[in-house]
Amino acid sequence: MTSAAAVLAQAVRTGLVDASSALAGVVTVTRIDGSNPVLCLARDGRPVAFVKGTGEAALLNGEDTVARERAVVSRLAASGTAPRALPQGTPHELWLSAVEGRSLAELSQSGDVGALSEAFASVGVALAGLHRLRAGSSTPAMDLPWPMRDALPPHMHSARHHEVPARVLETAADLADVALAAKAAWRAEGWAHGDVSATNVLVGPDGARLIDWESAGRGDPSWDLAGARVVAGLVAPGWSELAWRRLHAAYRAAGGPAPEPAHALWCVRLLVAAYQQAVGVLVGGGTPDADGSVTTLLDQARRAAGAHRRECVHA
């Protein structure tokens, strides 16, 4: 990954920021923690651009997330759905225009229930706009979620050595029949973001915008709705069902075409969220499931699996 100094020099050289601002110290380059390395270029505290590289987990899997996200945002450029790729990029890094707004995670910490409720409605509108776009044959195919795959991605093998991530994998093994049903019902028939989360949605004056498009492509749009429902449970635990219904109603009103996630797909999305939650805390140096969030997600996954199995019995 390019150094902060190199990013600053490149930004000055290409005119993205002026040299006098850089010399005055009002231009900063800071690292943002995540699965892939990201540097934020800001002027006077306002983001100007984000510079992204490919993380260790993706490299271990043999994935080039920079090339993948570049292909996705290029295809979405005309729609204005995704951030714009900037010409400063190289084959090994992607420069993206800044997106204004506060993440759903930040909004949830503010305690402003009214603002958060409006934010969920705006997320529904944003997802509807994405899902209405036509995904042609040249659109990169979204990878199947890991519980649906025949084998775990290489970067997940070490998870068996950590108690909480290992518990997620054990639960996934117990619910393998449900994941198989979700795979059989998977319909890669439209654009899907692939990783709707509390940090990947920014809400600004003009509504919600999605960021981090390296997982996006031609996939099942219902997967994004399942992700949004998980987010509602994590950031609005006292009124998650109301938040989800507000989002879903706005999605439908805006012409969103995807059906509400079936129990099997919902189960798989909860498993993915539980793993992300466990590993994210672990990487950050914390204690996974100290707040019980992973246990809650796994309990919900089991209930969703039970609902799916009951449906099968009565079918």
Side-chain angles (χ1 to χ4, degrees), residues 84-106:
R84 180 171 50 90
L86 300 175
Q88 287 83 357
T90 72
H92 304 293
E93 63 188 25
L94 175 63
W95 289 56
L96 294 167
S97 60
V99 176
E100 286 192 51
R102 301 172 67 192
S103 71
L104 286 177
E106 292 175 304

Side-chain angles (χ1 to χ4, degrees), residues 1-314:
M1 179 69 183
T2 303
S3 68
V7 164
L8 182 58
Q10 175 77 339
V12 171
R13 186 164 52 250
T14 56
L16 194 58
V17 297
D18 58 272
S20 59
S21 295
L23 291 172
V26 298
V27 178
T28 59
V29 180
T30 55
R31 185 183 177 96
I32 301 174
D33 291 331
S35 57
N36 293 304
V38 179
L39 294 174
C40 175
L41 175 74
R43 183 197 297 114
D44 293 322
R46 293 176 64 88
V48 174
F50 292 92
V51 185
K52 304 185 69 173
T54 298
E56 293 182 6
L59 290 172
L60 185 61
N61 292 343
E63 301 167 354
D64 186 346
T65 54
V66 165
R68 164 90 184 203
E69 187 161 3
R70 180 180 287 113
V72 167
V73 298
S74 296
R75 282 169 171 78
L76 292 173
S79 70
T81 304
R84 180 171 50 90
L86 300 175
Q88 287 83 357
T90 72
H92 304 293
E93 63 188 25
L94 175 63
W95 289 56
L96 294 167
S97 60
V99 176
E100 286 192 51
R102 301 172 67 192
S103 71
L104 286 177
E106 292 175 304
L107 284 172
S108 70
Q109 294 170 0
S110 71
D112 188 338
V113 173
L116 192 56
S117 177
E118 289 299 322
F120 274 107
S122 68
V123 174
V125 173
L127 289 176
L130 172 64
H131 295 166
R132 290 198 310 268
L133 297 177
R134 181 177 177 277
S137 58
S138 63
T139 303
M142 179 186 149
D143 291 333
L144 284 174
W146 61 261
M148 296 185 191
R149 302 184 201 179
D150 296 332
L152 290 176
H155 80 274
M156 292 181 64
H157 291 169
S158 62
R160 302 186 187 281
H161 303 295
H162 302 281
E163 179 186 356
V164 179
R167 180 151 52 92
V168 176
L169 297 185
E170 290 165 3
T171 303
D174 292 340
L175 306 180
D177 61 311
V178 181
L180 189 61
K183 181 178 179 179
W186 182 266
R187 295 291 179 265
E189 54 191 18
W191 273 103
H193 179 273
D195 190 21
V196 176
S197 70
T199 55
N200 284 348
V201 178
L202 300 184
V203 182
D206 299 324
R209 295 285 301 278
L210 295 162
I211 60 172
D212 288 348
W213 290 83
E214 65 264 16
S215 300
R218 190 178 66 257
D220 192 332
S222 292
W223 179 253
D224 287 345
L225 294 183
R229 189 174 180 183
V230 168
V231 172
L234 290 174
V235 306
W239 51 285
S240 60
E241 189 61 23
L242 180 61
W244 158 244
R245 290 301 165 193
R246 181 79 194 276
L247 183 152
H248 193 253
Y251 177 82
R252 282 280 174 261
E260 191 166 337
H263 288 119
L265 189 68
W266 174 228
C267 171
V268 171
R269 189 62 184 87
L270 288 162
L271 290 171
V272 171
Y275 184 84
Q276 290 173 324
Q277 190 85 350
V279 173
V281 173
L282 192 64
V283 171
T287 302
D289 205 30
D291 60 355
S293 58
V294 176
T295 294
T296 297
L297 289 166
L298 293 180
D299 287 344
Q300 290 176 330
R302 293 188 190 93
R303 287 197 293 272
H308 165 76
R309 288 164 176 162
R310 287 192 296 275
E311 284 180 348
C312 293
V313 169
H314 295 115

